[in-house]
Amino acid sequence: MNVLARPLDCSEVVSHAEMANAVRFLAIDAVEQAKSGHPGMPMGMADVATVLFSRFLKFDSSDPTWPDRDRFVLSAGHGSMLLYALLYLTGYESMTLDQLKAFRQWGSKTPGHPEYGHTPGVETTTGPLGQGIATAVGMALAERLMNARFGDDLVDHFTYVIAGDGCLMEGISHEAISLAGHLGLNRLVVLFDDNQISIDGPTALSCSDDQLARFRASGWSACRIDGHDPRAIATAIAAARDNDRPSLIACRTIIGFGAPSRQGSEKVHGAPLGSDEVEKARKALDWPYSPFELPGAVLAEWRHLGARGREARRAWIARSRLECGAKRSPFHDALNRKLPCAYAAAMNGLKVRLADQRPKLATRQASQQVIGAIAEALPNLLGGSADLTHSNLTLAKTQSPVQRESFRGNYIHYGVREHAMAAAMNGIALHDGFIPYGGTFLSFADYSRPAIRLAALMRIRVIHVMTHDSIGLGEDGPTHQPVEHLASLRAIPNLLVFRPADAVETAEAWDCALRSQTSPSILCLSRQALPAFRDAADEINRVALGAYVVVEPDGPRDVTLIGTGSEVCVALEAAELLADEGLRVAVVSAPCFELLARQSPEYRKKVLGKAPRVGVEAAIEGNWSRWLGEDGEFVGMSGFGASAPASVLYREFGITPIAVAAAARRAIRRSLEGK
Ligand SMILES: Cc1ncc(C[n+]2csc(CCOP(=O)(O)OP(=O)(O)O)c2C)c(N)n1
């Protein structure tokens, strides 16, 4: 038991039941007031949450971001009122009673599902089932990695998760528990709301898994308890904390506990109880108070609990001063999201070298050189791949694998678990201490997409290295050739999708991704070698502009050719063909549409020009029309690829300098006819 463990009875004057009922009724009343929400889960899990928060969770409500706090993840995000009630009761400043009364309303701190960055005390955004538990695996992993580097005095906390049947039914949960079991993440404790009910009715309608056997098979310890018995809950959590494996505690609960005619049924999952049933629940649970009213002693006891971690936090601050001194230390550096000076020197040195040597490289190879050049300057860079290390080229020579025997490594073999990798990277970024990047093929971005979307929503720095970014990968064929992926990823708000065209651009794209503290990034990289066209005579990061002019003709432009990634060199060759005919052709490289959209209208006009435009990208057209305008032409894919050598595919699908030149002539002709 840790120093925060408490005796079983909450206090002399307030019983466990009263403490738990405070949570229950705040949830009931808020859902009732909002006329929408999910009362069943908070009512069912109030006992478990009360025991966790009152006896085990290490936190200080006055400092929601204290680095050594325990992390609490409500994976069953629909039960958000459970979390909001706890934040209010334990005294988080921003969570007032008025916020609970404004549950699910515009501008409130109490949105329908918990949102990271919106509500202090919410560790991660949840709602899409299964994401929370997988994100928590990343948090628990980050804790072990930080602990291995900085020791128990600075890093020594648990990650607790409340997950429901839905979370465990989702496929991502399996990838996540398998990874956690493999790595032996013993600081991870999952409290499973084992109420056997989901929206359609009893889980028996659709699921007959033996969850305990399933978790045990993945290397977890697992037990089942009565989720309404505080002693059983406390005993199980204490045992879980004392375990050398991650732990599942299946808490058998009654959904909607206390609502006499609805408890135990799906009817209480996602709708207000209604005033009659609320009255009955008040009688059944002996809670004779009006909506949002709390007995003073109960609130006082909860507030006392919310401040109980203050001592532990102060002791931690004292220890960290002793360990690290007042000045900067590696520990502070790890938590500081800014990049160290040594990084800028390493990155600039590489750019100069690449510009001098002008190597013909696949951009995945260029990326490997980037990682190699910056890894030592960025000790908190944490690499990995979903079993494609040798294709993604994500491993630097100086990196070593993370293993359950040693968390001192800095490269994670995520296994063939793209979705869990993406969610774990979210958890690692949320935990703080590391900049996670992970590799897979671009065509498998769809496997990771729900977690990528959450990273964008949460505004966190996570870097996806997605190689084999077009038909240019060749013989593996259409299953592996992304065509719609660029467009679909570009559709996610706040996601930076980079498609660098040569080695210098690849370095610049990495630089942008590392500096983007509030956006996740996807680096889309080629399998095939690409010629260098950039010299880096100056230190300006041109990729950061989103698009820039590579070739500007003398005199007014007749046409502007815009390419991304491997098709910039197609545009450059097309420009030569057209120039031979006396046309004045500009070529623009557009490695990041999102960053281009953030530039001033003047800059965009200057780059895109007034002349007709032709876009070229070995992918479907998607949202290119924004850059090409009404009169523009697009040269790319209109369906799936095929299995053949890359050069044959480019020829057969008509993504060639000749095709681009022909499109340019058409665009010029049309524009002349229109004048
Ligand atoms: C990925 C995903 N699919 C579907 C939903 C919609 N949904 C929300 S809760 C829920 C049922 C979850 O059941 P369970 O975890 O047992 O929650 P409980 O009924 O116990 O509250 C569903 C299908 C969702 N939020 N996320």
Side-chain angles (χ1 to χ4, degrees):
M1 283 251 174
N2 85 349
V3 285
L4 295 178
R6 290 170 54 80
L8 283 179
D9 293 318
C10 280
S11 81
E12 299 298 315
V13 281
V14 182
S15 69
H16 164 84
E18 286 173 296
M19 297 292 279
N21 284 340
V23 176
R24 273 190 188 101
F25 280 96
L26 286 176
I28 292 172
D29 294 339
V31 172
E32 215 55 28
Q33 170 115 346
K35 300 192 184 66
S36 83
H38 300 77
M41 183 276 192
M43 293 170 75
M45 282 299 275
D47 292 306
V48 173
T50 297
V51 172
L52 176 66
F53 273 65
S54 64
R55 295 181 197 167
F56 295 99
L57 198 74
K58 181 169 73 167
F59 71 106
D60 177 355
S61 62
S62 72
D63 186 356
T65 59
W66 162 35
D68 201 31
R69 69 195 181 281
D70 285 343
R71 306 301 196 265
F72 172 68
V73 172
L74 186 71
S75 192
H78 57 280
S80 55
M81 261 315 301
L82 178 82
L83 180 51
Y84 302 149
L86 290 162
L87 295 179
Y88 166 67
L89 289 167
T90 53
Y92 283 75
E93 198 183 355
S94 65
M95 190 54 72
T96 60
L97 203 55
D98 283 342
Q99 292 295 340
L100 299 189
K101 291 178 183 168
F103 179 47
R104 292 181 156 238
Q105 304 309 307
W106 176 260
S108 77
K109 294 276 176 215
T110 47
H113 295 82
E115 292 179 32
Y116 169 79
H118 184 84
T119 310
V122 171
E123 302 282 6
T124 180
T125 297
T126 51
L129 298 173
Q131 291 294 329
I133 185 172
T135 303
V137 169
M139 293 177 179
L141 174 54
E143 192 272 346
R144 286 294 83 193
L145 295 168
M146 288 287 278
N147 175 275
R149 285 154 177 75
F150 302 110
D152 288 349
D153 276 353
L154 294 180
V155 186
D156 183 18
H157 51 266
F158 284 83
T159 302
Y160 296 99
V161 182
I162 287 185
D165 295 293
C167 290
L168 300 196
M169 282 191 223
E170 289 290 351
I172 188 175
S173 74
H174 198 74
E175 294 180 25
I177 66 168
S178 166
L179 183 62
H182 171 75
L183 290 171
L185 299 179
N186 63 331
R187 295 308 190 89
L188 179 62
V189 180
V190 173
L191 299 152
F192 165 33
D193 180 15
D194 183 16
N195 62 22
Q196 300 174 297
I197 292 288
S198 63
I199 290 182
D200 278 4
T203 51
L205 287 171
S206 59
C207 188
S208 41
D209 292 346
D210 178 342
Q211 295 292 6
L212 269 59
R214 176 186 169 219
F215 275 74
R216 284 186 190 126
S218 291
W220 290 52
S221 82
C223 67
R224 175 166 280 120
I225 57 162
D226 175 353
H228 297 296
D229 174 352
R231 279 172 201 278
I233 300 164
T235 307
I237 297 177
R241 290 160 53 95
D242 210 12
N243 207 308
D244 61 352
R245 285 173 284 174
S247 297
L248 174 82
I249 304 173
C251 309
R252 185 52 60 82
T253 61
I254 299 170
I255 190 170
F257 180 92
S261 20
R262 294 200 169 199
Q263 64 178 22
S265 120
E266 70 277 10
K267 292 193 184 75
V268 77
H269 162 94
L273 298 183
S275 52
D276 282 0
E277 186 71 4
V278 174
E279 279 322 302
K280 285 186 200 158
R282 288 194 201 286
K283 287 209 177 71
L285 294 174
D286 191 19
W287 193 256
Y289 309 104
S290 44
F292 297 105
E293 186 190 344
L294 292 167
V298 173
L299 184 59
E301 178 63 10
W302 267 116
R303 289 286 151 89
H304 168 69
L305 292 171
R308 201 161 41 89
R310 211 149 290 168
E311 251 331 287
R313 183 175 64 90
R314 288 202 184 114
W316 179 88
I317 291 171
R319 280 200 307 280
S320 76
R321 289 219 176 101
L322 212 67
E323 289 262 329
C324 306
K327 290 206 209 96
R328 289 173 67 94
S329 69
F331 181 67
H332 291 125
D333 281 347
L335 294 181
N336 183 350
R337 293 182 185 177
K338 291 201 188 112
L339 304 173
C341 302
Y343 160 76
M347 179 56 92
N348 285 336
L350 175 74
K351 261 182 76 176
V352 169
R353 181 163 66 73
L354 292 174
D356 277 356
Q357 294 174 351
R358 298 173 74 89
K360 185 174 180 188
L361 285 178
T363 48
R364 63 181 174 137
Q365 289 172 312
S367 165
Q368 186 181 35
Q369 292 202 13
V370 174
I371 297 166
I374 62 173
E376 282 186 299
L378 271 187
N380 59 345
L381 193 65
L382 184 65
S385 168
D387 201 44
L388 285 170
T389 294
H390 307 300
S391 300
N392 301 143
L393 303 179
T394 31
L395 178 66
K397 284 199 182 75
T398 52
Q399 286 172 323
S400 59
V402 171
Q403 290 165 316
R404 68 184 296 157
E405 299 78 29
S406 165
F407 286 97
R408 291 198 64 85
N410 50 9
Y411 190 86
I412 301 164
H413 292 282
Y414 284 102
V416 193
R417 303 184 185 98
E418 295 85 3
H419 200 178
M421 173 175 77
M425 289 203 291
N426 289 351
I428 291 165
L430 288 163
H431 179 276
D432 259 338
F434 298 98
I435 304 173
Y437 72 87
T440 185
F441 288 158
L442 181 59
S443 65
F444 305 142
D446 289 343
Y447 279 60
S448 307
R449 189 178 177 91
I452 294 172
R453 181 175 189 271
L454 279 185
L457 177 60
M458 290 192 278
R459 304 171 64 76
I460 53 176
R461 176 174 49 186
V462 171
I463 303 174
H464 293 266
V465 178
M466 299 208 166
T467 66
H468 297 59
D469 71 346
S470 75
I471 53 165
L473 68 86
E475 294 83 346
D476 267 346
T479 53
H480 285 48
Q481 292 161 354
V483 286
E484 78 283 22
H485 300 73
L486 288 168
S488 81
L489 290 167
R490 284 172 183 149
I492 298 180
N494 191 39
L495 176 65
L496 301 180
V497 180
F498 294 97
R499 192 159 185 256
D502 76 353
V504 171
E505 276 201 4
T506 307
E508 291 182 342
W510 259 105
D511 189 48
C512 290
L514 289 163
R515 290 182 190 283
S516 297
Q517 289 186 37
T518 54
S519 302
S521 298
I522 313 264
L523 303 175
C524 305
L525 304 174
S526 72
R527 173 182 184 244
Q528 73 277 29
L530 305 178
F533 64 90
R534 270 287 296 280
D535 50 46
D538 52 47
E539 285 190 4
I540 294 173
N541 182 331
R542 300 203 185 277
V543 169
L545 298 167
Y548 62 94
V549 178
V550 179
V551 173
E552 186 70 80
D554 292 332
R557 298 179 188 179
D558 292 313
V559 68
T560 300
L561 309 181
I562 309 169
T564 78
S566 42
E567 284 71 68
V568 172
C569 58
V570 178
L572 285 166
E573 279 186 47
E576 282 176 22
L577 296 178
L578 294 164
D580 287 347
E581 297 168 20
L583 291 166
R584 291 179 299 259
V585 186
V587 178
V588 168
S589 174
C592 184
F593 285 8
E594 293 76 11
L595 291 181
L596 178 59
R598 290 182 198 174
Q599 304 306 313
S600 67
E602 294 73 36
Y603 177 80
R604 282 201 299 269
K605 270 187 207 143
K606 207 171 88 190
V607 170
L608 299 173
K610 291 195 201 107
R613 300 167 200 153
V614 179
V616 52
E617 184 171 75
I620 62 154
E621 186 170 354
N623 45 1
W624 266 87
S625 57
R626 172 159 187 203
W627 312 124
L628 299 180
E630 278 297 302
D631 292 332
E633 288 269 341
F634 179 73
V635 177
M637 300 290 291
S638 54
F640 293 115
S643 176
S647 57
V648 175
L649 294 171
Y650 272 91
R651 187 190 69 215
E652 292 297 322
F653 287 111
I655 304 172
T656 60
I658 291 173
V660 173
R665 285 185 214 101
R666 278 198 303 276
I668 294 169
R669 204 177 314 123
R670 249 201 329 273
S671 121
L672 289 175
E673 282 164 7
K675 276 184 184 158

